[in-house]
Amino acid sequence: RKTSDERDPHFVFIQTYIYPGRSAALKTELMEHFFMLINRYLNVEPENIHAVIQEIPQENYFGGIMKQH
C-alpha cells in the first residue's frame, strides 16, 4: 500500500486487542506508554502515531492454554 504524500513515512498505526471492562483511564495510560516507547526507540513523533483499541469478549478469544468455559 502506498504511503500518502501528506503522511510522514515513519507513520505508525497501533492496533491493540483487550478484554472489555478496562477503564478509560487505563486505556489512556496504555496508549500513552505505547506512544512514549515508539517515540523513544523509533524516533517517531506522537503526531505520527495513531492507535485503536478493540475490545474482544473473552468467549471470542482463543490462544495460549485454552480453558473450558
Side-chain angles (χ1 to χ4, degrees), residues 19 56-69:
Y19 292 138
I56 307 297
Q58 245 177 331
E59 65 269 13
N60 293 340
Y61 176 81
F62 301 91
I65 298 173
M66 295 179 55
K67 298 180 181 179
Q68 296 278 335
H69 289 284

Side-chain angles (χ1 to χ4, degrees), residues 8-57:
D8 187 291
H10 299 107
F11 175 83
V12 173
F13 183 82
I14 304 166
Q15 187 170 5
T16 305
Y17 297 96
I18 63 172
Y19 292 138
R22 303 308 201 290
S23 69
L26 186 124
K27 292 176 193 177
T28 298
E29 184 179 343
L30 177 65
M31 289 298 113
E32 286 174 349
H33 192 71
F34 282 163
F35 278 46
M36 181 269 302
L37 291 171
I38 290 168
N39 177 252
R40 179 184 295 168
Y41 293 106
L42 301 178
N43 202 30
V44 176
E45 294 301 320
E47 59 269 12
N48 289 313
I49 304 170
H50 292 240
V52 64
I53 295 174
Q54 292 186 318
E55 295 183 342
I56 307 297

